[in-house]
């Protein structure tokens, strides 16, 4: 049995056993080197200082590739020329206690900050990548045709596509901070994570000294319009939409909800802001079906449409809870972390009707100026039930809040807590 394999078994099986990693993590340290690298590969041996696996949601595919012989389990990425196309940070929020607990703010600077360790052979991997691209949407072409947007050769090219800087972020959880954010006991959080993943990560309960966890969940994609260096600069107006994944609408145009229309409306507003000299930001979170998953979402669709009287706003959330056990599992408490990572302290125009998102940002110390609702003409007819239910449940702009009578009329009970 190899030394690495033996070390891995000790790490997994015996609480508190085994030597501590030579790379301790000091989460809120002011520099990457003081904080220390996040190391979570199985072949890193005693250097490993995090529970879970890099690539989280895709680690199982990597296991299949290795087991089938298509991939060498000891291969390490060649990081030459993979560094970000533009610098992001460091920002003060990166070392302000409690501001960022669900991602590694230094995760895109691995080759820069830990070059000596990489040269030594330590298996440190990025959890963030930053690149440039263009996006091409029919809704943007329509906005150009109708004169709402204009080709300028910089933000919008002659072909009608839009220039963006985009970043992909894998989740990296600092468990003491996660527990504090949700106001739960860390030991209980670890135990529940261990149980609800079928015991996939024993170190959650056997190694309380390891405080970082790479969960097997989807990450975040950012689309930045205009100069990314201006995102946290209050001299430049920022328009932002935080969007939670909806594959059926975002990709395939399903009209039962307003997800794609609101997403493309946010992209249009972000593009317009960049053309006006400000910046735009789209935060795309992988939280399909209110973080309940697409299977649950489709089951709820069936249940809603087959009930007596058909799909109704009054039972919109009730049917979700009956199927899933909870109405919404997105719990936006972690969402502000990505805003802090970009150094943003104020969003001038927030393209969202969701009070859950608004409240999470404000509680996280982010100022919000104007709240921009979706235009009525972008709401598909089949999505009217969703809109009525969500407005009654607190998804509304402060300019037109529903009255108590409206809440009772639409849903039959008080849903303002959602």
């Amino acid at each position: 049995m190899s030394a690495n394999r033996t070390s891995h078994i000790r790490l997994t099986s015996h609480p508190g056993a085994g030597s501590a990693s030579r790379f301790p993590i000091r989460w809120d340290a002011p520099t990457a080197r003081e904080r220390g690298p996040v190391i979570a590969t199985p072949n890193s041996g005693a250097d490993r200082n995090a529970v879970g696996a890099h690539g989280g949601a895709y680690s199982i595919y990597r296991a299949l590739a290795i087991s089938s012989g298509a991939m060498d389990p000891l291969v390490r990425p060649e990081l030459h020329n993979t560094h970000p196309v533009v610098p992001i940070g460091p920002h003060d929020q990166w070392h302000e206690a409690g501001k960022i607990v669900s991602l590694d703010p230094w995760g895109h600077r691995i080759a820069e900050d830990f070059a000596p360790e990489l040269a030594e052979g330590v298996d440190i991997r990025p959890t963030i990548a930053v690149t440039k691209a263009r996006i091409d949407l029919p809704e943007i072409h329509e906005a150009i045709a109708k004169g709402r947007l204009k080709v300028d050769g910089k933000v919008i090219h002659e072909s009608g596509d839009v220039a963006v800087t985009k970043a992909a972020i894998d989740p990296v959880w600092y468990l003491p901070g996660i527990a504090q954010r949700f106001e739960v006991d860390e030991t209980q959080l670890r135990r529940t994570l261990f149980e609800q993943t079928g015991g996939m990560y024993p170190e959650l309960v056997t190694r309380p000294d390891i405080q970082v966890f790479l969960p097997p969940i989807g990450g975040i994609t950012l689309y930045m319009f205009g100069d990314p260096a201006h995102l946290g600069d209050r001299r430049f107006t920022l328009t932002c939409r935080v969007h939670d994944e909806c594959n059926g609408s975002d990709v395939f145009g399903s009209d039962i909800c307003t997800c794609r229309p609101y997403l493309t409306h946010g992209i249009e507003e972000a593009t317009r802001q960049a053309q006006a000299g400000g910046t735009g930001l789209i935060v795309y979170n992988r939280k399909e079906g209110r973080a309940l998953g697409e299977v649950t979402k489709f089951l709820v669709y069936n249940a809603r449409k087959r009930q007596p009287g058909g799909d109704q706003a009054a039972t919109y959330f009730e049917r979700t809870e009956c199927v899933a056990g909870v109405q919404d599992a997105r719990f936006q408490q972690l969402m502000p972390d990505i805003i802090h990572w970009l150094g943003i302290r104020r969003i001038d125009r927030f393209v969202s009707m969701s009070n859950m998102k608004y409240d999470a940002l404000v509680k996280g110390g982010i100022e919000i100026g104007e709240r921009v609702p979706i235009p009525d003409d972008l709401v598909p007819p089949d999505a009217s039930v969703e809109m009525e239910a969500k407005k009654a449940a607190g998804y509304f702009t402060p300019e037109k809040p529903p009255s108590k009578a409206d809440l009772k009329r639409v849903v039959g009970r008080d849903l303002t807590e959602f």
Side-chain angles (χ1 to χ4, degrees), residues 30-59:
T31 68
R33 297 200 62 79
E34 290 175 274
R35 202 288 307 275
V38 173
I39 306 173
T41 52
N43 59 12
S44 55
D47 289 340
R48 188 175 172 206
N49 60 11
V51 179
H54 286 285
Y58 296 96
S59 59

Side-chain angles (χ1 to χ4, degrees), residues 201-216:
Y201 303 103
E203 301 100 323
L204 287 168
V205 292
T206 64
R207 293 297 303 269
D209 57 309
I210 299 180
Q211 298 182 317
V212 173
F213 175 44
L214 278 60

Side-chain angles (χ1 to χ4, degrees), residues 51-284:
V51 179
H54 286 285
Y58 296 96
S59 59
I60 301 302
Y61 291 106
R62 186 166 60 247
L64 287 176
I66 292 171
S67 64
S68 66
M71 180 179 178
D72 181 353
L74 298 180
V75 69
R76 299 186 180 186
E78 167 55 67
L79 299 179
H80 180 66
N81 281 339
T82 63
H83 58 279
V85 295
V86 295
I88 302 290
H91 298 293
D92 289 342
Q93 292 99 313
W94 293 13
H95 58 82
E96 292 177 8
K99 288 290 187 185
I100 298 176
V101 299
S102 62
L103 60 93
D104 176 7
W106 306 95
H108 57 309
R109 296 166 47 108
I110 300 305
E112 173 184 350
D113 292 326
F114 298 106
E117 288 78 10
L118 289 170
E120 177 191 331
V122 181
D123 196 356
I124 310 170
R125 305 196 179 188
T127 56
I128 300 175
V130 184
T131 190
K132 285 187 179 291
R134 295 185 183 184
I135 57 175
D136 190 8
L137 297 173
E139 290 87 350
I140 295 298
H141 287 275
E142 180 183 354
I144 295 170
K146 292 185 176 180
R148 299 197 306 267
L149 293 174
K150 297 185 183 299
V151 171
D152 62 357
K154 182 179 180 182
V155 177
I156 303 181
H157 298 277
E158 292 293 336
S159 58
D161 52 7
V162 181
V164 296
T165 302
K166 62 181 183 179
I169 297 96
D170 281 340
V172 178
W173 287 7
Y174 176 58
L175 290 172
I178 297 286
Q180 184 177 21
R181 187 78 61 86
F182 281 87
E183 299 180 348
V184 298
D185 176 72
E186 183 188 344
T187 300
Q188 182 59 43
L189 172 65
R190 286 172 170 267
R191 169 62 60 178
T192 305
L193 287 169
F194 168 72
E195 292 172 348
Q196 292 302 313
T197 55
M200 186 180 291
Y201 303 103
E203 301 100 323
L204 287 168
V205 292
T206 64
R207 293 297 303 269
D209 57 309
I210 299 180
Q211 298 182 317
V212 173
F213 175 44
L214 278 60
I217 59 175
I220 302 168
T221 307
L222 300 180
Y223 291 85
M224 295 166 268
F225 302 74
D227 188 342
H230 296 163
L231 282 171
D233 190 331
R234 294 197 182 202
R235 295 174 298 175
F236 300 89
T237 302
L238 170 62
T239 291
C240 172
R241 170 154 180 80
V242 175
H243 188 90
D244 293 329
E245 178 185 26
C246 177
N247 185 63
S249 179
D250 296 344
V251 179
F252 294 100
S254 171
D255 64 354
I256 196 172
C257 63
T258 59
C259 294
R260 181 181 174 95
Y262 220 153
L263 174 60
T264 57
H265 175 58
I267 291 172
E268 180 177 335
E269 292 294 316
T271 302
R272 181 178 296 108
Q273 194 69 73
Q275 288 190 311
T279 56
L281 174 65
I282 301 294
V283 178
Y284 195 88

